[in-house]
Amino acid sequence: MVPPFLEVTDLACRRGGRRVLDHLSFSVGTGELLALTGRNGSGKSTLLRTLALLVPADAGTIRWQGEDVVIDPDRWRSQVAWLGHLDGLKADLTVRENLHSSQPDRARVDAAVAAFDLSALATREVRTLSAGQRRRAALARVAASTAPVWLLDEPLNALDAAAQTLLHAAIARHLATGGVAIAATHADMPSARPLELGA
Amino acid sequence: MVPPFLEVTDLACRRGGRRVLDHLSFSVGTGELLALTGRNGSGKSTLLRTLALLVPADAGTIRWQGEDVVIDPDRWRSQVAWLGHLDGLKADLTVRENLHSSQPDRARVDAAVAAFDLSALATREVRTLSAGQRRRAALARVAASTAPVWLLDEPLNALDAAAQTLLHAAIARHLATGGVAIAATHADMPSARPLELGA
Amino acid sequence: MTGFGALLARDVRLVLRRPGDVAVVLAFFVVATALFPLGIGPETNLLARIAPGVLWCAALFASMLSLDRLFASDYEDGSLDLLLLAPWPLELAALAKCAAHWIVTGLPLALLAPLLGLTFGLDPLALAALTATLLVGTPTLSLIGGLAAALTLGARKSGALLALLALPLCVPTLIFGAGAVEATVSGQGFGVHLAVLAALALMALATTPWAMAAALRQAGE
Amino acid sequence: MTGFGALLARDVRLVLRRPGDVAVVLAFFVVATALFPLGIGPETNLLARIAPGVLWCAALFASMLSLDRLFASDYEDGSLDLLLLAPWPLELAALAKCAAHWIVTGLPLALLAPLLGLTFGLDPLALAALTATLLVGTPTLSLIGGLAAALTLGARKSGALLALLALPLCVPTLIFGAGAVEATVSGQGFGVHLAVLAALALMALATTPWAMAAALRQAGE
Amino acid sequence: MADLHFLANPARFRRFSQRVTGSLAFATVLALAVGLYLALIAAPPDYQQGETVRIMFVHVPSAWLAMAGYGLLAVLSGSLLVWRHPLAALMARGAAPVGATFAAVCLITGALWGRPMWGTYWVWDARLTSMLLLFFLYLGHIALSNAYDHAERGDRAAALLALIGAINLPVIKFSVDWWNTLHQPASVMKLGGPAIHPTILVPLLWMAGALSLLFVILVLLRTETEIDRRRLEAADATA
Ligand code: HEM
Ligand SMILES: Nc1ncnc2c1ncn2[C@@H]1O[C@H](COP(=O)(O)OP(=O)(O)OP(=O)(O)O)[C@@H](O)[C@H]1O
Ligand SMILES: Nc1ncnc2c1ncn2[C@@H]1O[C@H](COP(=O)(O)OP(=O)(O)OP(=O)(O)O)[C@@H](O)[C@H]1O
Ligand SMILES: [Mg+2]
Ligand SMILES: [Mg+2]
């Protein structure tokens, strides 16, 4: 049997002494989008951060293609593209400079800029963008990466309807190339498999 | 004729050399919620900031109860409760301390904390809250104020369904006491009068 | 004025919530001062001569170090907007912030300075001059540092230039502060110096809050 | 290594976008140094005697002043997460940040110092020693300060705390830096001092990136 | 209760420490009594320094313990970072203020001694300055470990600092020594045996032993307090 791409077993995590995740198990296969849902504070962001090894898990394993990710964390990190609650853009750099600093390949950056309709804004400093324009730039950074695993924390935040369509298209393209995506969200994400936390 | 509560005429505003708002006129009466809609970058946040006098208008007037607000800007500012894209909470203070620093009246703070289901989180430092919990705290700050004009920039951001209901209820209460609210949003806001920008 | 009192109380409370923080500031003063003997050598009478410069330099350093972030965190977490919209004048809010910072940095430094001066071998009159001038002079440093902090918010190029101009504004204060201690060492009184320092402080008080408020409004745009 | 170059270039570009911060640091250096002749009076040989200590202390303070924000802005705008997830080692990223900091503060300070030394009446050899030791010594200050900045991420009262942590660790560099200039003044060479400074820099280079990376990982939690 | 699992190891330590503190306290009191008798009454006044020489019996052991304390801190920090030993963090929290106190005692007794001997409370001499720096390294450590909302964060940040500080401590000490010195050079701990008269050496060693016991017992007690405090916080958080 081919292992599912990402397999999480019995994960537990505590933040500030409170148990946030406990005995959580799920798996995501290639070409699949997992939508994390649940109330505010149910642990969606915590789960994403734990998967990215930004927060250490208290128990449980995360397997990527059958191998525990803590064995070679650097290899795992290189497989992950991250979008947090915060955009992680440098306000003093332009959109293109921001994308370039994580993706040296100019062609991929150009494609991502186009995919999120940022061409007119590419040379603007991020400081001067509107909230949704900024979020699009952060999403373009994810799209520009070659990592097979996308971890997205509320990617639809601040996006207008057109940009949401662009995002769904970008995710669909990513999945079509065999990628995996996990997104925390309060909105509907079509064609996603939902996983409710804290239920 | 009684003047509408807030009346905007021929407002124009430019950001970084680009004209963002132009010849914009509208008015909002007592007990009314105006929902600003429009694409990312259409000028919703700019309009809210202009109304709050955070950004100077290039042309046009803003009248509050018939009087131009630039005549006595301090009086106008005291009429406004503000929620921006950023929460404006101090990460090192607890939720309650944050609310207290803008509203000394303990009873109002307690009511606002209860209204946004924050009782269990009131003594937590904001730094340790989830995104939606933080947004709720910022909304509670608005609800705790006595200002008749609420200016809210994407108040639904990061909120779960339950919290969105709480917000709608809080806005309804505010409007019922004769208040006015203007909210920029990409989501539906029931019983709001929409105003589309950049159309 | 009660509005200002409430603001000030809140800002001071914010800083004083952890008494350990003030201890950190005091410890930091001592370490900063201790560096000069290490750089210059332990000769007692040489140290006594440079003591005014050393202590004033540490005061300047301390003000700059903490004032740097005076408004920046408000700017970044969105609470600057709330400050701008608050029902009290922005000048007052800026002043309250500077005052709160002075209370937790300038004031402890002035009170600790005589003790440090003692280790540098200053005589009692010089110690008195030191304390008095620091008490009168450090508010000016806080105000000017606060102005520089407001000007560099959002870092427009012009902000850089203005900040560069703001710091030399501290020079008169430093000259008269360090000069006062010198004067007592050479047997003169320091009354004139103190009067000049007070005048400088009043001047700063009259001008910087307004300039800070203007800079903050600009940053809010 | 090209990864390091790209990181470094980006960080330098970022700092240069905010010229205000650099300007304040340099202005502080000049003002702090200028303070001592004022207190001491124009006796040239006395001034030359204290010049090395004063310039080194001022350089130390100046580099602490800007280190405060080295990682804090990344922490606050979410890009620290990206740094932690980046395919290059975190140690390298931290090192690039410190290097960028040094390029925009330590380097200008070292280049500015001879000019200030001249006003203190230092002779050419002493000026050479001053520049050389600052060039070799300031990287250590940036590294140690960078460590303190990483350790205090998310801590309260980070400015003074950072300085309190970093200053004692910088003492050896200060002693040998100032000592080198004094050695030339008293007619000896400064080769040994320079060697010790280089050794200290290597030691810092070998240990601090690792500790910085560990501290940054903790801050990401 | 499983939430308190991570305290299992500290809990075992606590039982152990409660068992030994009684006899340890007894030994400390006894050793202090003998040491103080020897130091204050039995030892003859110095032919040069007179009665003030008795300050030494507190001053010198305090200096030693302050330095040893930082070494202990470094060892604890290493085991926290490498093995994630939860007890190490609590013990480091217990040890740092004790070490700082001994450093302060050394500084204060030294200053009091300096007045009659050198005519001044303080000079910027190498030995004195390096002890002052050690004191501030301790203060920085304490401040850092308390600067976070989450105690564990503070623990680990402070542990990193202590490790780097421990590497730097000898550097500071020697660089300051080369810089300048007025203070007494080492005479007990030096190659070729002590160069000090037995009438002084014996009470000195007794006092050193007694104060070391005091050091140990203070660290144990403070560690217990830290364990209790951490347990209370954990209970609060789960409640
Ligand atoms: C605040 C002032 C002082 C400080 C910070 C200080 C610090 C120290 C330190 C750190 C040591 C331990 C040295 C070692 O074993 O490596 C020490 C030992 C000693 N100190 Fe002081 N000291 C001070 C004042 C004095 C004074 C005024 C005297 C008397 C003249 C004195 C006499 C001694 C002696 C005799 C030793 C033992 C040296 C040995 O045998 O190893 N100290 N002091
Ligand atoms: N650093 C922290 N310290 C203490 N508690 C924390 C910390 N971070 C998160 N928490 C708590 O952990 C729980 C989960 O938080 P998390 O951010 O994962 O929620 P979430 O599902 O992403 O919520 P949201 O929908 O609001 O983004 C919350 O109750 C939160 O208060
Ligand atoms: N400081 C600035 N300098 C230059 N241009 C700016 C600045 N702030 C905003 N803009 C531009 O003004 C336009 C309006 O921005 P605004 O933030 O008002 O949009 P918005 O409607 O709130 O969008 P969103 O839905 O993304 O929040 C955008 O095109 C934006 O790029
Ligand atoms: Mg979340
Ligand atoms: Mg907007």
Side-chain angles (χ1 to χ4, degrees):
Chain A
M1 198 197 92
V2 179
F5 257 51
L6 184 70
E7 185 172 27
V8 172
T9 359
D10 261 348
L11 200 68
C13 187
R14 40 176 66 247
R15 307 293 304 264
R18 268 167 296 275
R19 180 178 299 137
V20 174
L21 304 175
D22 203 12
H23 288 298
L24 184 70
S25 302
F26 63 90
S27 62
V28 195
T30 175
E32 203 175 8
L33 165 65
L34 186 74
L36 304 178
T37 62
R39 299 206 43 172
N40 289 142
S42 57
K44 303 178 291 298
S45 302
T46 301
L47 174 56
L48 288 173
R49 295 185 78 79
T50 313
L51 291 178
L53 303 185
L54 290 170
V55 167
D58 285 308
T61 53
I62 304 165
R63 282 206 185 73
W64 168 240
Q65 289 171 328
E67 188 188 300
D68 193 332
V69 296
V70 297
I71 293 173
D72 186 354
D74 280 335
R75 199 182 82 87
W76 167 237
R77 288 201 186 96
S78 71
Q79 308 286 303
V80 168
W82 173 262
L83 175 80
H85 270 300
L86 297 168
D87 295 323
L89 301 167
K90 287 282 145 206
D92 292 325
L93 297 181
T94 66
V95 172
R96 190 178 291 280
E97 284 169 336
N98 266 293
L99 298 193
H100 253 301
S101 64
S102 61
Q103 175 58 271
D105 180 348
R106 184 169 294 271
R108 288 198 70 91
V109 169
D110 286 341
V113 163
F116 284 93
D117 196 14
L118 289 164
S119 313
L121 307 172
T123 56
R124 291 253 303 264
E125 286 185 9
V126 166
R127 179 185 298 290
T128 68
L129 297 185
S130 81
Q133 292 168 338
R134 207 177 285 206
R135 195 74 180 157
R136 261 151 58 197
L139 283 164
R141 193 194 52 229
V142 171
S145 89
T146 49
V149 183
W150 286 9
L151 301 180
L152 312 173
D153 205 347
E154 305 202 23
L156 295 166
N157 244 9
L159 296 185
D160 63 19
Q164 296 193 8
T165 314
L166 293 177
L167 170 63
H168 292 311
I171 292 181
R173 274 196 304 279
H174 172 64
L175 299 180
T177 61
V180 162
I182 304 184
T185 179
H186 292 293
D188 277 344
M189 294 195 84
S191 77
R193 178 159 65 85
L195 172 70
E196 187 166 354
L197 294 184
Chain B
M1 195 196 97
V2 179
F5 256 52
L6 185 69
E7 185 171 28
V8 171
T9 2
D10 259 348
L11 198 68
C13 186
R14 39 177 66 247
R15 308 292 305 264
R18 268 167 296 275
R19 179 176 300 139
V20 174
L21 304 175
D22 204 12
H23 288 298
L24 184 70
S25 302
F26 63 91
S27 62
V28 195
T30 175
E32 202 174 8
L33 165 64
L34 186 74
L36 304 178
T37 62
R39 298 207 43 173
N40 288 143
S42 58
K44 303 178 291 298
S45 302
T46 302
L47 174 56
L48 287 173
R49 295 183 78 79
T50 313
L51 291 179
L53 303 185
L54 290 169
V55 167
D58 286 309
T61 52
I62 304 165
R63 283 206 185 73
W64 170 241
Q65 290 172 326
E67 187 188 302
D68 193 331
V69 296
V70 297
I71 293 174
D72 186 355
D74 281 335
R75 199 182 82 88
W76 167 236
R77 287 200 186 97
S78 71
Q79 307 288 303
V80 168
W82 173 260
L83 174 80
H85 270 301
L86 297 168
D87 296 324
L89 301 168
K90 288 280 147 212
D92 288 331
L93 297 183
T94 67
V95 171
R96 189 178 292 280
E97 284 168 337
N98 264 292
L99 298 193
H100 254 300
S101 65
S102 60
Q103 174 57 271
D105 180 348
R106 184 169 294 272
R108 289 198 70 91
V109 169
D110 286 340
V113 163
F116 284 94
D117 195 14
L118 289 163
S119 312
L121 305 172
T123 57
R124 291 254 305 264
E125 286 180 8
V126 166
R127 184 185 295 291
T128 70
L129 297 185
S130 81
Q133 292 168 340
R134 207 176 285 206
R135 196 73 179 158
R136 263 151 56 197
L139 284 163
R141 193 195 52 229
V142 171
S145 88
T146 48
V149 183
W150 286 10
L151 301 179
L152 312 174
D153 205 347
E154 304 201 25
L156 295 165
N157 244 9
L159 296 184
D160 62 19
Q164 297 192 7
T165 313
L166 294 177
L167 170 63
H168 292 312
I171 291 180
R173 276 196 303 278
H174 172 64
L175 299 180
T177 62
V180 161
I182 305 184
T185 180
H186 292 293
D188 277 346
M189 294 194 84
S191 76
R193 179 158 65 86
L195 173 69
E196 186 165 355
L197 294 185
Chain C
M1 222 45 203
T2 70
F4 179 72
L7 269 177
L8 182 62
R10 191 199 71 164
D11 283 336
V12 171
R13 189 164 350 107
L14 235 162
V15 191
L16 283 186
R17 253 162 57 87
R18 275 101 183 180
D21 295 350
V22 179
V24 168
V25 173
L26 288 177
F28 151 77
F29 288 146
V30 180
V31 176
T33 323
L35 292 177
F36 284 91
L38 290 170
I40 286 161
E43 290 148 57
T44 317
N45 48 358
L46 186 59
L47 285 180
R49 295 209 59 175
I50 63 160
V54 167
L55 290 164
W56 270 95
C57 193
L60 177 61
F61 180 37
S63 319
M64 291 300 128
L65 196 66
S66 37
L67 280 164
D68 183 24
R69 300 292 297 155
L70 194 62
F71 302 109
S73 64
D74 293 329
Y75 178 68
E76 281 151 19
D77 67 15
S79 42
L80 182 61
D81 289 340
L82 298 177
L83 214 60
L84 293 172
L85 284 168
W88 44 78
L90 189 55
E91 287 78 5
L92 230 52
L95 196 61
K97 282 224 169 226
C98 290
H101 261 266
W102 178 76
I103 287 174
V104 294
T105 58
L107 187 60
L109 171 65
L111 300 180
L112 193 65
L115 201 70
L116 291 172
L118 213 57
T119 72
F120 281 83
L122 287 183
D123 60 64
L125 191 61
L127 292 178
L130 185 65
T131 314
T133 52
L134 279 172
L135 278 176
V136 180
T138 44
T140 315
L141 300 187
S142 293
L143 287 167
I144 293 176
L147 177 58
L151 288 171
T152 46
L153 271 189
R156 290 282 125 63
K157 310 260 149 130
S158 62
L161 189 63
L162 287 170
L164 200 56
L165 296 179
L167 207 48
L169 293 178
C170 297
V171 168
T173 302
L174 297 170
I175 292 178
F176 284 97
V181 189
E182 272 297 300
T184 69
V185 172
S186 55
Q188 302 151 1
F190 57 92
V192 180
H193 292 86
L194 215 54
V196 175
L197 284 176
L200 288 169
L202 287 178
M203 223 167 73
L205 198 62
T207 53
T208 54
W210 166 82
M212 273 189 275
L216 291 177
R217 285 219 179 78
Q218 233 165 56
E221 278 181 17
Chain D
M1 224 41 203
T2 69
F4 181 73
L7 274 174
L8 183 62
R10 192 197 73 155
D11 287 334
V12 171
R13 187 161 353 112
L14 251 170
V15 185
L16 291 182
R17 286 279 156 87
R18 313 183 112 257
D21 299 351
V22 180
V24 169
V25 171
L26 289 179
F28 172 85
F29 184 53
V30 177
V31 172
T33 323
L35 191 57
F36 286 84
L38 300 172
I40 286 177
E43 290 153 56
T44 325
N45 47 356
L46 194 57
L47 282 181
R49 167 84 186 67
I50 62 160
V54 166
L55 286 166
W56 260 95
C57 282
L60 177 54
F61 288 169
S63 52
M64 289 303 122
L65 208 57
S66 43
L67 274 166
D68 188 14
R69 300 296 298 157
L70 194 60
F71 300 108
S73 64
D74 293 326
Y75 180 69
E76 281 151 19
D77 68 15
S79 44
L80 181 63
D81 289 340
L82 298 176
L83 216 59
L84 293 172
L85 285 168
W88 47 75
L90 189 56
E91 287 79 3
L92 225 55
L95 199 61
K97 286 239 164 212
C98 291
H101 172 263
W102 178 76
I103 287 174
V104 294
T105 58
L107 190 59
L109 286 184
L111 301 179
L112 195 63
L115 211 67
L116 293 173
L118 214 57
T119 68
F120 278 80
L122 287 182
D123 59 64
L125 190 62
L127 290 178
L130 183 66
T131 314
T133 52
L134 278 173
L135 280 175
V136 179
T138 43
T140 316
L141 305 185
S142 292
L143 286 167
I144 293 178
L147 173 61
L151 285 173
T152 50
L153 265 192
R156 300 172 301 244
K157 197 73 197 170
S158 54
L161 181 58
L162 178 142
L164 175 62
L165 300 181
L167 290 180
L169 298 180
C170 292
V171 161
T173 304
L174 173 70
I175 288 178
F176 286 99
V181 189
E182 267 168 42
T184 69
V185 173
S186 57
Q188 300 152 3
F190 59 92
V192 180
H193 291 86
L194 216 53
V196 174
L197 283 176
L200 288 172
L202 287 178
M203 212 172 83
L205 199 62
T207 55
T208 53
W210 164 81
M212 272 189 274
L216 291 177
R217 286 218 178 79
Q218 280 173 28
E221 281 181 15
Chain E
M1 267 335 264
D3 284 334
L4 300 178
H5 176 79
F6 75 106
L7 282 177
N9 212 341
R12 209 178 311 136
F13 161 83
R14 207 172 174 290
R15 280 196 302 279
F16 159 79
S17 119
Q18 273 171 342
R19 208 170 311 130
V20 297
T21 38
S23 35
L24 213 54
F26 182 69
T28 310
V29 170
L30 202 71
L32 262 182
V34 175
L36 284 174
Y37 168 77
L38 289 176
L40 297 182
I41 298 164
D46 190 77
Y47 73 99
Q48 258 184 336
Q49 310 186 359
E51 298 289 345
T52 55
V53 73
R54 302 189 193 284
I55 293 179
M56 181 180 76
F57 300 121
V58 177
H59 171 75
V60 176
S62 305
W64 291 343
L65 285 170
M67 290 185 286
Y70 207 87
L72 174 67
L73 217 52
V75 172
L76 291 171
S77 302
S79 61
L80 173 66
L81 291 176
V82 177
W83 296 295
R84 296 207 158 227
H85 203 308
L87 182 59
L90 300 169
M91 205 180 244
R93 259 176 204 272
V98 181
T101 308
F102 277 99
V105 168
C106 173
L107 286 167
I108 292 167
T109 54
L112 293 178
W113 201 0
R115 188 68 190 169
M117 297 313 301
W118 303 333
T120 172
Y121 288 109
W122 184 265
V123 283
W124 289 99
D125 150 275
R127 199 51 107 48
L128 277 59
T129 307
S130 66
M131 187 36 95
L132 186 67
L133 289 171
L134 177 62
F135 179 61
F136 282 112
L137 280 175
Y138 272 120
L139 285 195
H141 186 275
I142 296 168
L144 185 61
S145 55
N146 290 317
Y148 290 94
D149 307 326
H150 292 325
E152 285 92 355
R153 258 292 262 126
D155 287 339
R156 275 172 293 150
L160 282 168
L161 178 73
L163 276 189
I164 297 290
I167 301 172
N168 225 300
L169 195 57
V171 181
I172 291 176
K173 190 170 156 48
F174 288 121
S175 66
V176 176
D177 274 346
W178 295 330
W179 168 62
N180 174 278
T181 195
L182 170 66
H183 188 282
Q184 192 100 355
S187 46
V188 177
M189 309 261 229
K190 76 175 189 187
L191 292 177
I196 209 174
H197 197 273
T199 51
I200 301 241
L201 183 62
V202 170
L204 180 61
L205 291 180
W206 264 101
M207 281 302 288
L211 289 178
S212 304
L213 282 174
L214 184 65
F215 184 99
V216 171
I217 198 167
L218 285 177
V219 172
L220 287 182
L221 287 176
R222 286 194 46 89
T223 308
E224 278 181 33
T225 317
E226 287 298 330
I227 293 175
D228 291 345
R229 199 215 314 255
R230 199 64 67 88
R231 179 174 298 175
L232 272 179
E233 279 167 8
D236 271 356
T238 43

